[in-house]
């Protein structure tokens, strides 16, 4: 394809009519038949192609990766880029290769032997980017997803539309139901307020890519319709739902959920129904179904209750098919933990009643908060919160259960009790020695994310059934005790302060190397003791997380730790321990190949008009 590099400035003749912006681009006689010339008009770089007495104008940047289309070839009205061979209809700009995106085509007219181009801004770019987002999800094309997300959030930084599109797609196109993809999407949405503004689109890119990957090649879901009578009693539906899950009847259980939503059940009522069923058996599927349930409700907090039916019915399959720890040897031998828990559950109602009477006394001894009071920071005497974590981390499961029941009888709110267990689970990770098998990081992670989900659920609804999950989580903490043999000491603040900004740079460098787990944790502790801004540290940890290739468990860890960090306001030691755990886990799982980061860098450069290629035509 030949090129004429004559450039027209923004002072080219223009005409305004009906709100259009027509600009003279080139004399038709200056363009050879079938040839292409490049012109610059009012900030646009255009490739203009002559076909007889007609002319076509398209953006000269290939929408795929920015290669100059003027260097491509034309045949039968199709322009083919010479880098990845994406093909475009010259008249409309439509691509025949979905991974490439459509190129913008500009209307043209021939006036007195000159080519005029309409540079009027596109009428609805948002609609175009939403459609491209859907294509990226359907075809699992990361580059398309990234460009759509960045364009949408650049126009509306606080838009929840990309999240809602991903939620709707994930609940519709994965027969197996709620999985890692939707969980990651919800995690990164939760992280957005704590990230630097430039990292927020990248976070959603990770989440939406996870949904696309989770649905890739999967059959779609066909929802089961609710019962014909919308006046079914919610208590009856809850009873039926639990019975159906008990016998692993997913279809019957799903119909109960759909019927309850259509009957007008609100978020608290639906949470009570689902959390009851997901804790009828012990620690099912190493905690994933309960964590997924919590994330589904958090997704609805963002997207709105209109998504409740597809989101909540998506959870049912994981309940019905789940492995139950009653069937697991480690929960039965050498100590029958299941029998121990079942005996404790008989006492739960009485313990809660006693606690209500003594709640004021508890508040006087340890002011009520949704978070645990860590070791060494407790107040009061006897069974005070300062003693909780030591007991939960003990190697005696009966002592663990007795402590939890005793705290409830003494007036400890269930949410605060749950917070103590979450903190204990985080300490298992903060003290995890790297001499363990690498996969055992995930063993400790599952306990932490389960415990965190139980606490978040209890903050959402006062469910006596869900309270059983606190005990399940505590037993999992007990079973994880071998992961702290020997326990790694949690780093203590050094005596000398350092420059917080340099410590953050050092943390980034450490996570570019393998096996820097303890060094990274020490750096975070040093940063906090040097007066570093905690919010800046959270943003840095989030950015370092997004620098890596998508990893389900690491995203869960960082998101859960930041959630707990916010709940631990007023407990600086516990906050430090939580962030130590998150840093150690992140450092253990870095660096990766970072292919997603490379894709995102291409997206970012294309979006901001960076020149990926230089040539005589000046095209980017």
């Amino acid at each position: 394809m030949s090129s004429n590099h004559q450039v027209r400035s923004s002072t080219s003749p223009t005409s305004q009519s009906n709100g259009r912006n027509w600009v003279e681009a080139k004399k038709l006689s200056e363009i050879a038949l079938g040839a292409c010339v490049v012109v610059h008009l009012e900030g646009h770089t255009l490739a203009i192609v002559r076909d007889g007495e007609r002319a076509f104008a398209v953006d000269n940047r290939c929408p795929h990766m920015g290669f100059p289309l003027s260097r491509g070839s034309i045949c039968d009205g199709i322009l083919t880029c010479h880098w990845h061979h994406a093909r475009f209809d010259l008249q409309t700009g439509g691509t025949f290769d979905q991974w490439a995106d459509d190129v913008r085509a500009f209307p043209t007219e021939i006036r007195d032997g000159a080519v005029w181009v309409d540079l009027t801004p596109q009428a609805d770019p948002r609609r175009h980017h939403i459609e491209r987002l859907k294509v990226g999800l359907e075809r699992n094309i990361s580059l398309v997803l990234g460009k759509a997300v960045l364009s949408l959030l650049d126009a509306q930084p606080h838009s929840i539309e990309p999240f809602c599109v991903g939620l709707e797609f994930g609940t519709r196109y994965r027969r197996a139901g709620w999985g890692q993809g939707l969980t990651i999407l919800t995690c990164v949405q939760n992280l957005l307020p704590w990230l630097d503004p430039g990292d927020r689109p990248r976070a959603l890119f990770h989440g939406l890519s996870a949904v696309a990957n989770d649905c890739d090649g999967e059959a779609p879901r066909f929802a089961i319709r609710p019962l014909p009578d919308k006046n079914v009693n919610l208590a009856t539906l809850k009873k039926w739902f639990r019975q159906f899950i008990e016998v692993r009847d997913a279809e019957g259980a799903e119909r109960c959920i759909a019927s309850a939503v259509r009957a007008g059940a609100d978020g608290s009522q639906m949470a009570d129904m689902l959390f009851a069923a997901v804790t009828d058996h012990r620690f099912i599927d190493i905690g994933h179904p309960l964590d997924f349930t919590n994330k589904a409700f958090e997704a609805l907090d963002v997207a709105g209750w209109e998504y409740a039916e597809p989101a909540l019915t998506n959870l049912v399959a994981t309940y019905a098919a789940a492995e139950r720890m009653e069937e697991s040897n480690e929960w039965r031998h050498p100590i029958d933990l299941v029998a121990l828990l079942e005996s404790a559950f008989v006492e739960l109602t009485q313990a809660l009643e006693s606690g209500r009477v003594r709640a004021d006394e508890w508040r006087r001894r340890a002011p009520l908060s949704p978070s645990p009071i860590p070791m060494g920071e407790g107040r009061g005497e006897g069974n005070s919160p300062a003693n909780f974590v030591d007991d939960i981390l003990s190697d005696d499961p009966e002592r663990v259960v007795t402590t939890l029941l005793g705290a409830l009888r003494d007036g400890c709110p269930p949410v605060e009790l749950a917070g103590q267990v979450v903190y204990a689970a985080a300490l298992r990770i903060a003290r995890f020695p790297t001499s363990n098998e690498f996969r055992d990081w995930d063993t400790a992670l599952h306990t932490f994310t389960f415990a965190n989900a139980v606490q978040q659920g209890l903050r959402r609804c006062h469910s006596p059934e869900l309270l059983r999950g606190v005990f399940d989580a505590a037993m999992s903490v007990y079973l994880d005790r071998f992961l702290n043999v020997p326990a790694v000491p949690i780093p203590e603040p050094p005596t000398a302060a350092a420059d917080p900004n340099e410590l953050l740079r050092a943390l980034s460098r450490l996570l570019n190397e393998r096996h820097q787990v303890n060094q990274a944790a020490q750096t975070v502790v040093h940063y906090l003791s040097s007066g570093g801004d905690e919010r800046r540290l959270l943003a840095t940890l989030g950015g370092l997380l997004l620098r890596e290739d998508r990893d389900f468990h690491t995203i869960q860890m960082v998101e859960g730790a930041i959630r707990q960090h916010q709940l631990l306001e007023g407990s600086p030691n516990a906050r430090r321990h939580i962030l130590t755990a998150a840093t150690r886990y992140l450092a253990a799982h870095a660096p990766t190949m970072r292919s997603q980061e490379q894709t995102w860098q291409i997206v970012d450069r294309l979006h901001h008009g960076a020149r990926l290629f230089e040539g005589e035509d000046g095209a980017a």
Side-chain angles (χ1 to χ4, degrees):
M1 177 187 293
S2 63
S3 276
N4 183 327
H5 304 299
Q6 180 177 340
V7 175
R8 297 278 178 151
S9 72
S10 59
T11 59
S12 299
T14 63
S15 69
Q16 303 287 335
S17 60
N18 299 322
R20 315 304 296 181
N21 181 24
W22 288 95
V23 179
E24 182 180 350
K26 198 84 170 169
K27 295 298 183 183
L28 188 62
S29 60
E30 296 174 339
I31 310 174
L33 288 173
C36 176
V37 297
V38 176
V39 297
H40 300 275
L41 299 170
E42 299 186 2
H44 297 279
T45 301
L46 306 182
I48 299 182
V49 178
R50 178 179 177 183
D51 179 19
E53 295 303 308
R54 298 187 304 167
F56 301 101
V58 296
D59 191 316
N60 196 37
R61 288 161 52 93
C62 178
H64 178 219
M65 292 182 69
F67 194 82
L69 290 176
S70 59
R71 303 188 192 180
S73 58
I74 301 169
C75 182
D76 296 330
I78 294 176
L79 172 59
T80 301
C81 178
H82 275 193
W83 194 15
H84 293 96
H85 308 291
R87 298 159 299 169
F88 306 94
D89 168 26
L90 272 172
Q91 182 161 337
T92 66
T95 183
F96 297 97
D97 302 285
Q98 292 300 302
W99 41 265
D101 204 348
D102 296 339
V103 67
R104 182 178 175 186
F106 295 80
T108 61
E109 290 183 1
I110 307 299
R111 303 180 185 175
D112 298 325
V115 180
W116 287 70
V117 180
D118 183 4
L119 300 180
T120 305
Q122 290 176 298
D124 192 1
R126 174 195 148 277
R127 180 178 178 183
H128 169 76
H129 296 311
I130 288 293
E131 287 303 311
R132 293 308 297 169
L133 180 61
K134 293 177 180 178
V135 169
L137 288 165
E138 291 165 2
R139 300 181 180 275
N140 195 12
I141 307 172
S142 294
L143 196 65
V144 172
L145 285 171
K147 290 193 294 182
V149 168
L150 189 51
S151 296
L152 287 165
L153 292 192
D154 192 44
Q156 291 184 295
H158 301 293
S159 173
I160 63 170
E161 196 165 18
F163 175 81
C164 293
V165 171
L167 177 63
E168 183 176 11
F169 184 88
T171 55
R172 180 177 296 182
Y173 292 108
R174 188 172 187 268
R175 179 181 291 175
W178 194 285
Q180 292 187 12
L182 287 171
T183 301
I184 291 174
L185 177 63
T186 307
C187 281
V188 298
Q189 178 69 33
N190 290 342
L191 286 173
L192 294 187
W194 310 106
L195 299 176
D196 288 333
D199 281 334
R200 292 167 190 168
R202 182 164 58 147
L204 278 177
F205 163 66
H206 275 261
L208 291 163
S209 295
V211 171
N213 190 65
D214 221 16
C215 297
D216 193 20
E218 289 282 324
R221 288 191 78 251
F222 295 99
I224 293 177
R225 292 166 176 76
L227 293 168
D229 186 357
K230 294 184 179 180
N231 297 316
V232 179
N233 181 271
L234 290 179
T236 301
L237 286 173
K238 177 180 176 181
K239 179 180 178 180
W240 290 347
F241 178 67
R242 294 171 72 180
Q243 289 175 348
F244 289 139
I245 294 298
E246 180 67 28
V247 297
R248 303 184 184 275
D249 178 1
E251 290 189 354
E254 183 175 334
R255 194 161 208 195
C256 289
I257 292 296
S259 300
V261 173
R262 294 285 183 95
D266 61 22
S268 178
Q269 291 168 320
M270 294 307 303
D272 176 63
M273 179 183 291
L274 270 71
F275 282 128
V278 81
T279 53
D280 276 339
H281 291 277
R282 313 279 56 81
F283 197 56
I284 64 174
D285 268 358
I286 56 176
H288 281 145
L290 192 142
D291 183 51
F292 290 174
T293 302
N294 177 56
K295 283 293 174 282
F297 281 105
E298 290 178 354
L300 296 176
D301 291 340
V302 176
W305 194 244
E306 61 265 29
Y307 292 89
E309 190 173 326
L312 300 181
T313 55
N314 255 257
L315 297 164
V316 171
T318 64
Y319 291 17
E323 178 187 5
R324 299 163 177 178
M325 289 302 106
E326 295 93 322
E327 305 161 346
S328 170
N329 180 70
E330 66 177 351
W331 283 67
R332 289 293 193 179
H333 302 285
I335 300 175
D336 192 339
L337 301 179
V338 175
L340 181 64
L341 290 174
E342 294 296 343
S343 296
F345 296 158
V346 173
E347 302 181 47
L348 273 182
T349 300
Q350 181 274 328
L352 287 170
E353 288 298 324
S354 298
R356 290 188 185 96
V357 175
R358 305 185 65 182
D360 290 339
E361 180 183 347
W362 177 274
R363 292 188 184 96
R364 286 194 297 271
R365 291 168 54 197
L368 179 63
S369 72
S371 57
I373 300 175
M375 294 178 291
E377 296 185 20
R379 297 173 288 275
E381 301 174 352
N383 192 20
S384 71
N387 298 324
F388 277 14
V389 174
D390 285 328
D391 289 339
I392 295 168
L393 291 170
S394 77
D395 58 2
D396 181 356
E398 290 191 25
R399 177 183 171 190
V400 175
V401 170
T402 299
T403 296
L404 297 180
L405 283 172
L408 289 172
R409 292 191 182 100
D410 285 349
C412 179
V415 170
E416 187 171 338
L417 189 71
Q420 289 288 321
V421 179
V422 181
Y423 180 53
L427 288 177
R428 290 288 192 220
I429 299 172
R431 297 169 173 173
F432 185 98
T434 56
S435 56
N436 287 323
E437 280 193 277
F438 184 76
R439 64 182 179 179
D440 279 332
W441 282 104
D442 291 345
T443 302
L445 179 280
H446 289 138
T447 303
F448 173 73
T449 54
F450 176 84
N452 175 63
V454 171
Q455 186 196 30
Q456 304 315 317
L458 287 170
R459 295 177 69 219
R460 186 176 297 277
C461 69
H462 301 290
S463 166
E465 293 94 352
L466 178 57
L467 185 56
R468 298 172 300 185
V470 176
F471 289 75
D472 288 351
M475 286 300 97
S476 189
V477 170
Y478 160 75
L479 288 171
D480 292 346
R481 66 195 183 283
F482 72 94
L483 298 178
N484 289 160
V485 179
V488 173
I490 295 178
E492 290 297 325
T495 55
D499 178 9
N501 292 325
E502 177 53 38
L503 289 169
L504 289 184
R505 288 190 288 269
L507 181 63
S508 179
R509 291 192 297 270
L510 285 169
L511 266 65
N512 268 326
E513 305 174 28
R514 295 191 181 278
H515 312 302
Q516 302 300 307
V517 173
N518 296 328
Q519 296 88 330
Q522 181 63 65
T523 301
V524 165
V525 171
H526 199 175
Y527 175 86
L528 294 171
S529 67
S530 298
D533 181 2
E534 290 191 3
R535 189 177 182 96
R536 184 79 201 105
L537 176 60
L538 298 183
T540 298
L541 288 173
L544 294 174
L545 169 70
L546 297 173
R547 186 171 69 178
E548 305 301 328
D549 275 355
R550 180 181 61 247
D551 179 80
F552 175 48
H553 290 140
T554 310
I555 291 173
Q556 282 185 301
M557 180 71 236
V558 174
E559 186 265 348
I562 290 179
R563 171 81 68 174
Q564 288 299 316
H565 179 270
Q566 301 313 303
L567 295 176
L568 285 162
E569 186 175 2
S571 300
N573 281 349
R575 279 186 150 190
R576 173 165 55 87
H577 297 162
I578 288 287
L579 294 183
T580 298
T583 302
R584 297 187 82 245
Y585 194 97
L586 178 58
H589 294 78
T592 63
M593 291 293 292
R594 299 181 181 171
S595 59
Q596 286 179 287
E597 176 68 5
Q598 183 180 14
T599 299
W600 182 254
Q601 288 176 358
I602 293 170
V603 167
D604 188 67
R605 292 171 69 188
L606 286 170
H607 181 77
H608 291 101
R611 295 178 182 273
L612 276 69
F613 303 93
E614 298 288 348
E616 292 181 358
D617 56 14

